[in-house]
Amino acid sequence: MIELTINGKVVQVEPGTTVLQAAQKLGVKIPTLCYDERLSSPGACRLCIVEIEGMRGLPASCVTQATQGMIVYTHSEKVMEARKTILELLLANHPLDCLTCEKSGDCKLQDYCYEYGVAQTSFEGEKHVFELDDTNPYIIRDNNKCILCGKCVRACSEIKGASVLDFSQRGFNTKVTPAFDTPLADSDCVYCHNCVAVCPVGALMPKELLGKGRRWEMKKEPVTCTFCEAGCNFFLCKSKRDNRVLGVLAESAGPGRPLCLKGRLGLNFAYNPDCVEKPLLKVDGEFIPVEWAEALGLGPIVEKLKNL
Ligand code: FES
């Protein structure tokens, strides 16, 4: 085991553990935008920077391995100032439309700006004006809100194995797109929503939840999917007002398993007026609704259940 000190507290971790993971073990919260424990870490956003004695600069804790005797400060004055500057730089090219943004209340950039007291940016400059990708029935892609953390790119290749999304262009013009900058509808995207689930801002939004309320007006209810025998677990997103099912919120369907499109979007049956609610018994060529007790008491069903 390796022993290091974080904010004056000693912690022991396995070799290969990052400083971020060691801090998490101690319950110390370091802000992250591009890190996800299920994905590889590119150290892209730099928000997880920390101060380490004897080390130059402020290394990103998600890609810095813990070493024996390391002394780390996660919230020193220098670190806090640098994080504020990073947030300001992100805001410099981010639409400040939190009042109407669908992601408001569930946006990591918004949360961190609140936490670090960053209300506006002091950096002036050119802003992106990308076209909204609204060409498919499931996902809205707004590259103007993208912070280039690359989580969607990695989720697409590392969780789904599809590699539909990637970075294109360079420098200020960099953006995440399918190949040849086509809209999602013209790409090989199967709308699995793994990219949507990991997006920390409002760059990728599920269409089925648009306009249905703020996240704090919704509650999450755990369910087990019944569409197939895999029995994936996910959360039904329900309105706190009338308990109505609004959509599905799920980062995964279970350990190492992404939720499929059927589980994620197959909710129409819940409020289908033609939904059959009682067993139907065929009498003289016509289907008549009967009680379950009556239907289950019928000879052939009893025999079939007994032979299961
Ligand atoms: Fe570490 Fe983004 S979370 S660099």
Side-chain angles (χ1 to χ4, degrees):
M1 296 295 272
I2 286 167
E3 198 171 270
L4 67 158
T5 307
I6 301 179
N7 300 342
K9 286 190 186 147
V10 176
V11 61
Q12 286 193 338
V13 292
E14 305 264 359
T17 304
T18 62
V19 172
L20 176 69
Q21 289 164 334
Q24 285 171 342
K25 193 174 174 188
L26 270 180
V28 176
K29 246 177 87 186
I30 296 178
T32 61
L33 283 171
C34 70
Y35 172 79
D36 187 306
E37 58 185 7
R38 296 160 303 163
L39 303 171
S40 58
S41 294
C45 75
R46 315 307 289 179
L47 201 62
C48 67
I49 47 168
V50 290
E51 197 174 347
I52 299 178
E53 273 188 18
M55 205 176 267
R56 269 182 51 205
L58 299 172
S61 59
C62 68
V63 287
T64 305
Q65 292 208 351
T67 54
Q68 179 62 33
M70 210 177 223
I71 298 179
V72 183
Y73 303 99
T74 63
H75 288 76
S76 65
E77 207 177 314
K78 215 164 138 189
V79 168
M80 296 297 275
E81 273 312 305
R83 282 189 195 142
K84 277 185 188 175
T85 307
I86 292 167
L87 288 170
E88 279 197 38
L89 284 166
L90 286 172
L91 282 195
N93 193 16
H94 192 88
L96 299 177
D97 61 348
C98 299
L99 288 179
T100 51
C101 180
E102 282 288 335
K103 194 77 182 220
S104 186
D106 189 30
C107 171
K108 277 189 135 190
L109 182 59
Q110 188 186 49
D111 289 349
Y112 291 140
C113 283
Y114 177 78
E115 187 180 334
Y116 284 78
V118 177
Q120 54 197 10
T121 180
S122 47
F123 299 102
E124 292 290 331
E126 210 182 328
K127 291 213 182 232
H128 288 135
V129 189
F130 293 127
E131 225 176 283
L132 205 72
D133 181 1
D134 189 15
T135 52
N136 66 84
Y138 306 114
I139 298 170
I140 291 199
R141 203 162 58 94
D142 185 353
N143 271 332
N144 298 303
K145 293 185 178 166
C146 177
I147 55 168
L148 298 176
C149 68
K151 274 165 104 173
C152 54
V153 173
R154 283 171 284 139
C156 190
S157 77
E158 294 172 25
I159 297 179
K160 184 66 185 165
S163 298
V164 168
L165 293 173
D166 210 337
F167 293 102
S168 73
Q169 308 290 340
R170 288 285 180 274
F172 180 73
N173 294 323
T174 307
K175 66 173 179 173
V176 173
T177 71
F180 308 113
D181 202 0
T182 56
L184 274 187
D186 299 334
S187 72
D188 288 336
C189 176
V190 294
Y191 308 114
C192 70
H193 280 58
N194 282 295
C195 57
V196 177
V198 296
C199 180
V201 290
L204 292 162
M205 292 295 301
K207 274 195 177 172
E208 78 269 15
L209 288 180
L210 293 188
K212 291 191 179 164
R214 294 303 204 181
R215 286 299 163 90
W216 57 84
E217 294 174 319
M218 302 175 186
K219 58 182 174 182
K220 292 197 318 189
E221 207 165 87
V223 290
T224 301
C225 186
T226 52
F227 275 123
C228 78
E229 70 284 356
C232 296
N233 300 308
F234 56 87
F235 292 100
L236 275 186
C237 181
K238 286 180 156 186
S239 164
K240 280 186 188 167
R241 265 174 282 166
D242 55 11
N243 219 29
R244 200 174 166 83
V245 176
L246 303 173
V248 163
L249 287 173
E251 295 205 345
S252 70
R257 208 168 64 227
L259 183 61
C260 80
L261 201 54
K262 252 191 200 177
R264 202 174 276 280
L265 298 172
L267 293 171
N268 290 349
F269 72 90
Y271 298 112
N272 187 342
D274 298 328
C275 203
V276 178
E277 288 174 350
K278 285 190 170 181
L280 299 173
L281 186 65
K282 204 170 189 180
V283 181
D284 297 334
E286 260 189 57
F287 284 108
I288 300 170
V290 294
E291 294 305 320
W292 276 106
E294 186 184 344
L296 290 173
L298 293 172
I301 297 178
V302 174
E303 286 312 311
K304 276 186 186 167
L305 288 175
K306 273 184 190 163
N307 293 333
L308 277 178

